[in-house]
Amino acid sequence: MRIIPLGIWGGYPKANGATSSFLIEEDGFYLLLDCGSGVLASLQNYISIQQLDAVIITHYHHDHMADVGALHYAKLIQNQLTDNPKTLSIYAHDRDDQFHSLTYKEHTQAYNVTQTSQIGPFTLETTETNHPVYCLAIRLEAKGKSVVFTADTGWKESLISFSQNTDILVSEANLYQEYEGKIPGHMSGRQAGILAEKAVAKQLILTHLPHFGNIQYILEEAKQTYTNQATIAVVGQSIVI
Ligand SMILES: [Zn+2]
């Protein structure tokens, strides 16, 4: 399994960047996790639009789905240019009316992610996070390897068992420690470290980072609570497990 970070920012992208998003590849199958602002541009550094096999949207906040409309048009145009059009599957929960807006003509088709256990080569599990809107953490497994994406979440005890023994925990770390408890629905690097430590994750990767301060401090705070390898996601730097 190969995990390629496409963006690392929370809320909105920095200049020439993208909001938190990851491309996951196994046996040539490409799965996009979240499709916020800047993601479509970043994605095309690694694969073409038509190579994309499936998309998961963790929740209906703009920084996780802002580029879905642009993705619809990309599929429309690319399907018009080929004799071999492909419908792109988009997986998300259906507890929001926006679920239906994910389907666009014959170019994309929405599926309820909570009723899905397999996407291509990936076995899938979801669990609700602690966020102001209904949001899902995602666990993917293939060939005995696993990755857990917390998506957006404040501290939630049940994420420990959900993430247990995962090869990689990709955790949001939107807060510096001093903001813990002041901003609902997000974790600090310190809390991401505690989650990774208690879950016995083999590696921790931080994403959904803030636009102010020095994000290296968030990593330092995570390293104070987590004993294995912790890094900040680097766009384009693949992680292979
Ligand atoms: Zn959110």
Side-chain angles (χ1 to χ4, degrees):
M1 193 188 312
R2 185 160 60 110
I3 299 154
I4 307 168
L6 300 182
I8 63 169
W9 302 110
Y12 64 98
K14 276 199 173 181
N16 303 313
T19 53
S20 183
S21 172
F22 293 82
L23 183 63
I24 307 109
E25 185 262 334
E26 177 78 48
D27 286 341
F29 187 98
Y30 287 97
L31 171 64
L32 176 66
L33 188 108
D34 281 333
C35 191
S37 185
V39 168
L40 214 53
S42 181
L43 172 78
Q44 291 170 89
N45 287 311
Y46 311 102
I47 60 169
S48 69
I49 297 293
Q50 291 296 71
Q51 281 179 281
L52 188 59
D53 293 292
V55 181
I56 295 175
I57 304 293
T58 58
H59 65 301
Y60 297 93
H61 272 159
H62 295 304
D63 52 335
H64 296 260
M65 62 170 303
D67 269 5
V68 168
L71 179 60
H72 287 163
Y73 292 161
K75 287 298 298 180
L76 166 73
I77 291 164
Q78 292 301 321
N79 278 340
Q80 286 171 338
L81 290 172
T82 177
D83 295 331
N84 185 26
K86 278 168 62 183
T87 303
L88 178 64
S89 302
I90 304 181
Y91 297 84
H93 72 72
D94 68 353
R95 295 196 188 188
D96 188 305
D97 286 344
Q98 291 184 80
F99 172 77
H100 302 287
S101 74
L102 299 175
T103 297
Y104 178 60
K105 300 180 179 175
E106 67 275 29
H107 305 296
T108 65
Q109 178 65 50
Y111 296 95
N112 186 349
V113 72
T114 64
Q115 291 173 6
T116 303
S117 58
Q118 191 80 31
I119 300 177
F122 301 104
T123 304
L124 175 85
E125 281 179 73
T126 65
T127 192
E128 184 181 358
T129 73
N130 169 10
H131 203 53
V133 302
Y134 188 73
C135 175
L136 295 168
I138 307 287
R139 183 176 181 123
L140 299 174
E141 300 202 13
K143 292 182 182 166
K145 299 289 183 181
S146 64
V147 57
V148 172
F149 298 90
T150 66
D152 286 13
T153 187
W155 177 258
K156 191 172 185 184
E157 201 75 16
S158 62
L159 286 174
I160 296 169
S161 56
F162 184 75
S163 309
Q164 201 67 36
N165 294 319
T166 189
D167 292 284
I168 296 183
L169 176 63
V170 179
S171 179
E172 80 127 276
N174 201 44
L175 307 178
Y176 297 95
Q177 187 176 344
E178 66 203 86
Y179 289 88
E180 279 177 22
K182 295 176 183 167
I183 296 174
H186 291 289
M187 286 196 294
S188 65
R190 189 188 75 90
Q191 290 170 315
I194 294 171
L195 175 60
E197 185 72 17
K198 291 194 169 182
V200 200
K202 295 187 180 73
Q203 193 182 147
L204 172 64
I205 293 168
L206 303 177
T207 186
H208 206 284
L209 299 156
H211 291 260
F212 63 97
N214 181 346
I215 57 174
Q216 291 302 321
Y217 291 154
I218 289 183
L219 177 61
E220 291 310 314
E221 288 167 2
K223 285 180 173 176
Q224 285 169 18
T225 52
Y226 179 59
T227 46
N228 285 339
Q229 185 190 349
T231 53
I232 288 174
V234 178
V235 172
Q237 203 167 93
S238 296
I239 305 118
V240 178
I241 52 172

